[in-house]
Amino acid sequence: MSQHVAKLRSDYRAPAYVIDTVELEFHLHDSATRVLNTMHIRRVSEQPLQLNGEHVQLVNLWLDGHLLQPHEYQLSANLLQLQNLPEQFVLSVETVINPSENSALEGLYKSAGAFCTQCEAEGFRRISYYLDRPDVLAVFTTTIYADAKQFPYLLSNGNLIEQRHLDDGRAMAIWHDPHPKPAYLFALVAGDFDRIDDVFVTQSGRTVQLQIYVDHGNAERAHYAMQSLKRAMRWDEQRFGYEYDLDIYMIVAVDFFNMGAMENKGLNIFNSKYVLADAKTATDQDFINVESVIGHEYFHNWTGNRITCRDWFQLSLKEGLTVFRDQEFSADMSSPAVHRIQAIKVIRSHQFNEDASPMAHPIRPDKVVEMNNFYTVTVYNKGAEVIRMQHCLLGEQGFMRGMRAYTERHDGQAVTCEDFIRAMEQANDRDLSQFRRWYSQAGTPHVQVEQQATATGFTLTFTQQTPATPGQTDKQPQHIPVLLSAYDANGELLPLYSDALVRHESASYLFELRERQQTITITCREQRPVLALFENFSAPVKLEYQQHEADLLVLLAHAKQPVTRWEAAQRLYTELLLEALQHNTAPQLSDAAVSALQQLCGADIDPALRALALVPPSPEELAEHCSGLIPVEQIAVVSRQLRDSIAYAIAAPCAQLYVRYRQAQYQLSAEAIAARSLSNLALYYLSAAAPNDAATWQRVMRHYQQADNLTDQYAALQTAVHLQLPIAAQLLTEFAEQWQQQPLVMDKWFAVQAQVPAAETVERVEQLLQHPLFTLANPNRVYALLATFGRNLVSFHRQDGAGYRIFTAAIKQLNSSNPQVAARLITPLTQWQRFSNERQQLLRQLLTELRQLPNLAADLEEKINASLN
């Protein structure tokens, strides 16, 4: 019988007690850290005080200086309760915790010899008994004691007040954060690190100290992160007017971390993969990710810290908004189109997949068993798309008016998604009542469009429908912004006239779809123009619109908006693949399509955009277009056939691109990154066109050996391994020998083998689980091998179920050691209803087996029950 009770958003009640100040005192010890937590509390209603606590040992409890006896309070496994309390009082709680045995990596734990914390969402209760909820904001002062030699750096939130050495060989540091914050933003780090320093002068002239702490020997790899931080700070001032508010900003990089990073006030703790980057040990994508995540966590200072969530159901209030902000930042730092395409790909693959799963949920969920399960692409990435739709509807100036109103009204508060959208409404005198459904309604809307000619132009009929999701069968029509443009057959942009259309600042036309079915009449000199619909992915919907290949080729060649050109290529590929699946034939590129792709190779557009447009949907992306059971084997076949057809079609221009965009010397710039992306794609297609040719193997080997950066080296390795060239084994051996001392690089070595879309990948993964460098204790290594394998549609879903059994065995181990990682891993198993009957039976059997585990973690139980019930 389940011991885990669901929490409902509708049950929210304001806290019965308020904590004004907290004084924390830590005496750090590997297995017996002592924590003294002194809280100044006010009672606001006649209810008992209930403090959360997990895996902590209560030692002493004082009320206004009086030592309480056990009969004066009630203590259970996860709760400390006191009654008959005065209106104001001081409560001191002394606990002992064991950081060394904290394999869940929540609360206070050890990472490679250093103490560090992770308190979001509900980790502070693993440190001390507390009102561990985001709407309780207090001013924290933290004092840390630790061995001075082992832990020369003692860090916490806010500004450093005092630090000194004691006579007993210990050191002491006191930190004070003047900004009230919830406990989930508390942070502590104690360790021996390398440190790099810099300063930032804010727009008002204040000097902020910047510090990044990394493991010894990694300082040189942290300079890009520091420059990214300074760019983010300046950008946030210029774009949003947000200035940093403490005297110091610190980042600490650790290897053992469940998440990407954490925005604790003034002391951000990062997974090292989002801090460490240089040309030798990081790819171009790594550099892009570092800049994005550094920016994301910094931007939380205002959208997450200064204004935080009232309750965890409002998580997208801070995460969706901050993802939007980091996407805008990344776009401004390099190519807006390329970054937009990457965001779209995440939605169309991972988020649409989540919407089709048993764990489908709105960006503001209504029910939660384990909050860690809702740090999802829906809350983060779809949440960002919901913010972007508001930006689309209101325009840049209107959106910024709303942001200013939101900040001015709610600075220092814990608020809701409703507060955000209300600020947007009132600042712009707009009614967004229907738009609110994006917050409460799960699932991906399907929008069907029919085009009919008229005497003066044409009509468009839009029909929207959102499929049923768990707990939501009756879906109401959404408020959907549709950006569109029209072209003639020669690619000339056409003016459109309609009362339903307004000229948008993006240069497209904006139509606001509100009804289940809506027809608009448009005057245009062409009766059947070539339409670009939902430009720039103006809403996270699935578009159903029949469009001839000739029209798609016009858009591919002439569309004014770069994302529209990429969209045209993707639709062209997708239609070919779906037709091949339907008729059980090989996808056939027409002569016109071949010519268009050859011309695209030499088009005068961003090389990175060309590279993206030349890549068809992956098998995983194609699966999201399948309305019935996913035909795994057929998808594998047609995907490979289309890849080979493209390779043969553009082999000659790829030979020219490979030479033209190869760089004599490594540079890190947007232009250089774009050039490498196209040259490395050219290498892949040249190899796919002639995989059995010795000249191909020599080219790939030469590319690998001559690389002066990891991007090129890894591209050669990927090409050899994914195409299963005879040199693959040699390159894998050389790569491992070269990088075995660099964990983040070795993660790529594990991942590249788990990505191969071949049946034998299952056995390879099984072998890699026994590799001396693999460990389930390191989340990065688990994600690199197992999570990557779980996203490999072709191999993971092999007919005999061997891939499923590998996953199940790993999840059983992680259930007791790190249930948060286990819950992230289990997702591919829960989508059993989308596959063949044989696979369904096996997946149900394995999920039932997992559900019967003793001490099944809440994280796993929630997902398994949602899948099986």
Side-chain angles (χ1 to χ4, degrees), residues 183 306 317 348 364 420 443 457 486 492 557 611 710 769 831 840 843:
R306 290 284 289 253
L317 172 80
R348 285 189 174 153
R364 184 187 58 199
F420 178 83
E492 182 182 347
L710 189 64
L769 286 168
Q831 300 180 4
Q840 288 188 25
L843 285 167

mmCIF file of all heavy atoms in Angstrom, residues 183 306 317 348 364 420 443 457 486 492 557 611 710 769 831 840 843:
data_model
loop_
_atom_site.group_PDB
_atom_site.id
_atom_site.type_symbol
_atom_site.label_atom_id
_atom_site.label_comp_id
_atom_site.label_asym_id
_atom_site.label_seq_id
_atom_site.Cartn_x
_atom_site.Cartn_y
_atom_site.Cartn_z
ATOM 1 N N ALA A 183 13.917 28.590 2.311
ATOM 2 C CA ALA A 183 15.013 27.682 2.654
ATOM 3 C C ALA A 183 15.571 26.965 1.433
ATOM 4 O O ALA A 183 16.737 26.550 1.440
ATOM 5 C CB ALA A 183 14.539 26.665 3.686
ATOM 6 N N ARG A 306 14.509 37.150 -5.917
ATOM 7 C CA ARG A 306 13.841 38.358 -5.440
ATOM 8 C C ARG A 306 12.316 38.181 -5.461
ATOM 9 O O ARG A 306 11.604 38.617 -4.571
ATOM 10 C CB ARG A 306 14.242 39.566 -6.294
ATOM 11 C CG ARG A 306 15.688 40.030 -6.128
ATOM 12 C CD ARG A 306 15.893 40.796 -4.840
ATOM 13 N NE ARG A 306 15.268 42.103 -4.857
ATOM 14 C CZ ARG A 306 15.936 43.250 -4.953
ATOM 15 N NH1 ARG A 306 17.251 43.250 -5.045
ATOM 16 N NH2 ARG A 306 15.288 44.401 -4.937
ATOM 17 N N LEU A 317 6.536 29.602 -12.828
ATOM 18 C CA LEU A 317 6.624 31.048 -12.633
ATOM 19 C C LEU A 317 8.067 31.502 -12.710
ATOM 20 O O LEU A 317 8.380 32.516 -13.345
ATOM 21 C CB LEU A 317 6.036 31.426 -11.268
ATOM 22 C CG LEU A 317 6.226 32.885 -10.842
ATOM 23 C CD1 LEU A 317 5.201 33.771 -11.525
ATOM 24 C CD2 LEU A 317 6.132 33.030 -9.321
ATOM 25 N N ARG A 348 9.603 19.778 -29.690
ATOM 26 C CA ARG A 348 8.993 18.803 -30.595
ATOM 27 C C ARG A 348 9.394 17.366 -30.285
ATOM 28 O O ARG A 348 8.651 16.442 -30.610
ATOM 29 C CB ARG A 348 9.366 19.142 -32.036
ATOM 30 C CG ARG A 348 8.593 20.351 -32.545
ATOM 31 C CD ARG A 348 8.795 20.541 -34.017
ATOM 32 N NE ARG A 348 7.947 21.610 -34.507
ATOM 33 C CZ ARG A 348 8.222 22.350 -35.564
ATOM 34 N NH1 ARG A 348 9.340 22.137 -36.237
ATOM 35 N NH2 ARG A 348 7.403 23.301 -35.948
ATOM 36 N N ARG A 364 1.538 24.372 -14.890
ATOM 37 C CA ARG A 364 1.239 24.548 -13.464
ATOM 38 C C ARG A 364 0.407 23.342 -13.038
ATOM 39 O O ARG A 364 -0.809 23.322 -13.185
ATOM 40 C CB ARG A 364 0.469 25.848 -13.221
ATOM 41 C CG ARG A 364 0.211 26.148 -11.734
ATOM 42 C CD ARG A 364 -0.701 27.342 -11.577
ATOM 43 N NE ARG A 364 -1.967 27.132 -12.265
ATOM 44 C CZ ARG A 364 -2.801 28.123 -12.598
ATOM 45 N NH1 ARG A 364 -2.498 29.375 -12.330
ATOM 46 N NH2 ARG A 364 -3.942 27.854 -13.227
ATOM 47 N N PHE A 420 1.714 36.886 -12.236
ATOM 48 C CA PHE A 420 2.506 37.285 -13.404
ATOM 49 C C PHE A 420 1.595 37.695 -14.557
ATOM 50 O O PHE A 420 1.766 38.766 -15.158
ATOM 51 C CB PHE A 420 3.423 36.155 -13.841
ATOM 52 C CG PHE A 420 4.240 36.485 -15.060
ATOM 53 C CD1 PHE A 420 5.421 37.193 -14.939
ATOM 54 C CD2 PHE A 420 3.819 36.110 -16.334
ATOM 55 C CE1 PHE A 420 6.178 37.520 -16.063
ATOM 56 C CE2 PHE A 420 4.557 36.433 -17.453
ATOM 57 C CZ PHE A 420 5.740 37.147 -17.319
ATOM 58 N N GLY A 443 -1.201 18.852 -22.393
ATOM 59 C CA GLY A 443 -1.304 18.310 -23.740
ATOM 60 C C GLY A 443 -0.874 19.277 -24.824
ATOM 61 O O GLY A 443 -0.753 20.478 -24.609
ATOM 62 N N GLY A 457 -8.727 36.511 -53.131
ATOM 63 C CA GLY A 457 -7.606 36.016 -52.343
ATOM 64 C C GLY A 457 -7.843 34.601 -51.880
ATOM 65 O O GLY A 457 -7.980 33.690 -52.696
ATOM 66 N N ALA A 486 3.048 35.099 -46.524
ATOM 67 C CA ALA A 486 2.654 34.498 -47.796
ATOM 68 C C ALA A 486 3.638 34.906 -48.888
ATOM 69 O O ALA A 486 4.137 36.040 -48.906
ATOM 70 C CB ALA A 486 1.244 34.927 -48.179
ATOM 71 N N GLU A 492 8.493 35.796 -53.792
ATOM 72 C CA GLU A 492 8.295 37.202 -53.427
ATOM 73 C C GLU A 492 7.275 37.283 -52.297
ATOM 74 O O GLU A 492 6.203 36.676 -52.357
ATOM 75 C CB GLU A 492 7.814 38.011 -54.626
ATOM 76 C CG GLU A 492 7.642 39.494 -54.303
ATOM 77 C CD GLU A 492 7.110 40.283 -55.498
ATOM 78 O OE1 GLU A 492 7.116 39.727 -56.621
ATOM 79 O OE2 GLU A 492 6.679 41.434 -55.295
ATOM 80 N N ALA A 557 13.935 28.009 -50.169
ATOM 81 C CA ALA A 557 14.859 28.838 -50.948
ATOM 82 C C ALA A 557 14.713 30.326 -50.670
ATOM 83 O O ALA A 557 15.701 31.073 -50.760
ATOM 84 C CB ALA A 557 14.640 28.577 -52.443
ATOM 85 N N ALA A 611 23.577 23.816 -41.810
ATOM 86 C CA ALA A 611 23.825 22.505 -41.204
ATOM 87 C C ALA A 611 22.551 21.958 -40.563
ATOM 88 O O ALA A 611 22.215 20.778 -40.732
ATOM 89 C CB ALA A 611 24.934 22.619 -40.161
ATOM 90 N N LEU A 710 38.202 19.778 -29.265
ATOM 91 C CA LEU A 710 37.369 18.603 -29.009
ATOM 92 C C LEU A 710 36.179 18.524 -29.955
ATOM 93 O O LEU A 710 35.710 17.437 -30.273
ATOM 94 C CB LEU A 710 36.880 18.613 -27.546
ATOM 95 C CG LEU A 710 36.185 17.321 -27.104
ATOM 96 C CD1 LEU A 710 37.158 16.143 -27.134
ATOM 97 C CD2 LEU A 710 35.585 17.473 -25.709
ATOM 98 N N LEU A 769 28.422 -0.806 -18.606
ATOM 99 C CA LEU A 769 28.008 -0.741 -17.205
ATOM 100 C C LEU A 769 29.036 -1.389 -16.280
ATOM 101 O O LEU A 769 29.092 -1.075 -15.086
ATOM 102 C CB LEU A 769 26.655 -1.436 -17.022
ATOM 103 C CG LEU A 769 25.427 -0.675 -17.547
ATOM 104 C CD1 LEU A 769 24.214 -1.586 -17.573
ATOM 105 C CD2 LEU A 769 25.159 0.546 -16.691
ATOM 106 N N GLN A 831 6.218 4.668 -20.982
ATOM 107 C CA GLN A 831 5.458 4.973 -22.189
ATOM 108 C C GLN A 831 5.126 3.701 -22.972
ATOM 109 O O GLN A 831 5.082 3.690 -24.207
ATOM 110 C CB GLN A 831 6.233 5.977 -23.040
ATOM 111 C CG GLN A 831 6.468 7.277 -22.277
ATOM 112 C CD GLN A 831 7.224 8.307 -23.079
ATOM 113 O OE1 GLN A 831 7.529 8.109 -24.247
ATOM 114 N NE2 GLN A 831 7.517 9.436 -22.458
ATOM 115 N N GLN A 840 4.628 -4.073 -24.890
ATOM 116 C CA GLN A 840 3.732 -3.633 -23.820
ATOM 117 C C GLN A 840 3.705 -4.642 -22.684
ATOM 118 O O GLN A 840 3.780 -4.267 -21.495
ATOM 119 C CB GLN A 840 2.324 -3.417 -24.367
ATOM 120 C CG GLN A 840 2.167 -2.184 -25.242
ATOM 121 C CD GLN A 840 0.710 -1.913 -25.589
ATOM 122 O OE1 GLN A 840 -0.184 -2.327 -24.862
ATOM 123 N NE2 GLN A 840 0.481 -1.217 -26.690
ATOM 124 N N LEU A 843 7.042 -4.513 -20.747
ATOM 125 C CA LEU A 843 7.192 -3.271 -19.984
ATOM 126 C C LEU A 843 6.262 -3.254 -18.775
ATOM 127 O O LEU A 843 6.666 -2.830 -17.675
ATOM 128 C CB LEU A 843 6.927 -2.070 -20.895
ATOM 129 C CG LEU A 843 8.047 -1.731 -21.873
ATOM 130 C CD1 LEU A 843 7.563 -0.750 -22.934
ATOM 131 C CD2 LEU A 843 9.257 -1.158 -21.138
#
